Amino acid sequence: MTPPDDNPGCHRAPQLDAATGHVSELAAALATARTPSDALAALAALEVACREAREWLAVDLVLIDGWSFADLGRVLNVTRQAAAKAYADPVNTRMRRTVVGRDDAVVIVPCGSTKVDRPAPAGRMYTGSYHRACRRAADRLGGRLFILSARHGLLTPDTVIEPYEQRMNTPGAVTVPTLRAQARRLGIDTAGRVTVLAGRDYADPVTAVWPHAVRPLDGTRGMPDQMARLAELARTTTTPVVTHRRPTAPPEGRAA
């Protein structure tokens, strides 16, 4: 007996890229390694990414395409019991996240070029007026707060990082596949309400991860117009954002 065919409607390129794009990036980094230590570090990161991608695809096949653990076992060349032992918990976790995540609001703000001059939690690293205006608006919108760092990607406010210099859409900036991997690792990839308070350079990558994300600053013309829109949002009375939820993985990307 062969496993059922993949459902092409559920596994078009964007869905596959969400699981395998980060692996491709790390494989490219391994190919350009110049020293044994660089190659070892790249291999370690690639092994983790491969394990995560294998899990994501296996869970997709079970939940979306209706595969059994026996089907997975045949593809992975292991027994049904081994496949169930490896993937039953991830399947159940994804199901819980999907149900809970639909009502779990997320608000994302950009990093900023003005920073403190020492290691600090991301929530205190950025001191510029634009970032502070985004934070005031986010505090009124409600949801789980994440900071989109051009270097590190999605950060919780309590994640400690070092000062760095990096702009979005320049060499070394975080990529969409990495953001997708981080969203899955943080358990927010199924969030039903996502708001990004940022200009196009930061909002576009967020929309690539969450196509339904709300972008309140779209249509503004320049920084003064954006600051005025943020001030308007900050006057809205709602529930403050959640800045602490649970321990998270360390930031991805190059060390600052």
Side-chain angles (χ1 to χ4, degrees):
M1 180 179 178
T2 58
D5 293 334
D6 288 354
N7 182 341
C10 294
H11 294 286
R12 294 186 296 271
Q15 286 82 357
L16 286 173
D17 184 60
T20 62
H22 191 43
V23 176
S24 300
E25 286 186 344
L26 293 174
L30 174 61
T32 59
R34 293 291 179 264
T35 66
S37 60
D38 287 345
L40 186 61
L43 280 170
L46 186 58
E47 288 173 353
V48 172
C50 286
R51 183 172 64 251
E52 292 177 343
R54 187 164 55 246
E55 177 180 296
W56 297 337
L57 291 173
V59 173
D60 280 350
L61 287 168
V62 171
L63 293 181
I64 299 175
D65 286 8
W67 281 34
S68 68
F69 290 121
D71 297 327
L72 287 181
R74 279 187 285 273
V75 170
L76 297 171
N77 197 29
V78 299
T79 65
R80 180 192 65 79
Q81 292 83 354
K85 182 177 180 180
Y87 298 111
D89 284 346
V91 166
N92 291 332
T93 298
R94 176 83 69 82
M95 291 176 66
R96 288 193 298 269
R97 283 180 178 174
T98 299
V99 173
V100 174
R102 295 304 174 187
D103 297 319
D104 195 5
V106 168
V107 59
I108 299 171
V109 300
C111 60
S113 58
T114 306
K115 306 175 183 69
V116 299
D117 60 358
R118 60 191 179 280
R124 296 200 297 270
M125 172 61 68
Y126 310 102
T127 60
S129 59
Y130 184 79
H131 178 80
R132 293 201 304 270
C134 291
R135 290 288 297 273
R136 286 192 293 270
D139 193 51
R140 294 299 183 182
L141 289 175
R144 293 178 61 187
L145 176 67
F146 292 89
I147 299 169
L148 177 51
S149 161
R151 170 70 59 84
H152 298 298
L154 295 168
L155 298 172
T156 59
D158 56 354
T159 302
V160 177
I161 58 174
E162 295 184 2
Y164 63 90
E165 292 299 327
Q166 179 70 60
R167 292 184 179 275
M168 200 67 83
N169 296 328
T170 61
V174 67
T175 63
V176 169
T178 293
L179 291 177
R180 288 189 178 123
Q182 291 177 332
R184 290 203 182 211
R185 190 174 296 120
L186 290 163
I188 58 175
D189 56 309
T190 60
R193 290 188 296 150
V194 179
T195 303
V196 53
L197 299 173
R200 181 178 300 174
D201 285 352
Y202 285 79
D204 283 352
V206 171
T207 304
V209 178
W210 294 278
H212 61 286
V214 177
R215 301 168 49 149
L217 299 187
D218 277 2
T220 55
R221 299 180 179 180
M223 185 66 68
D225 200 9
Q226 289 190 18
M227 293 291 282
R229 180 74 57 83
L230 290 167
E232 179 182 354
L233 291 170
R235 289 192 292 269
T236 304
T237 304
T238 57
T239 305
V241 297
V242 177
T243 58
H244 297 81
R245 172 63 67 90
R246 58 183 172 132
T248 59
E252 297 187 30
R254 300 179 184 176

